[in-house]
Amino acid sequence: MNLFIQQNIVIHTLRIEAISNSSVLQIGSAGIIKPVSQLFNTGGFSGPAPAVGGSIVPFIPLSEPRI
């Protein structure tokens, strides 16, 4: 079965708070979402990053909820 969808999407404001390597942003319809992960060594590093000392808990400020 073939399903054809024609859409006209107008976006006035798109606000993305955060995005990570495994995030998916989809606007509209998709039959198949194929994940792609591309990592590049643009800094020419030859080894792993040094370990961070201590147990640091990152502080992430949150905005007040809107009612």
Side-chain angles (χ1 to χ4, degrees), residues 13 15 17 63-67:
T13 302
R15 183 176 177 182
E17 293 292 331
S63 62
E64 292 292 325
R66 297 181 194 175
I67 298 176

Side-chain angles (χ1 to χ4, degrees), residues 4-45:
F4 296 98
I5 299 174
Q6 182 177 354
Q7 293 180 329
N8 183 13
I9 300 173
V10 178
I11 300 172
H12 295 285
T13 302
L14 177 64
R15 183 176 177 182
I16 300 173
E17 293 292 331
I19 193 163
S20 65
N21 287 347
S22 61
S23 296
V24 174
L25 173 64
Q26 177 180 336
I27 300 172
S29 298
I32 298 173
I33 298 176
K34 296 181 180 178
V36 175
S37 179
Q38 298 175 344
L39 301 175
F40 299 100
N41 186 5
T42 58
F45 299 102

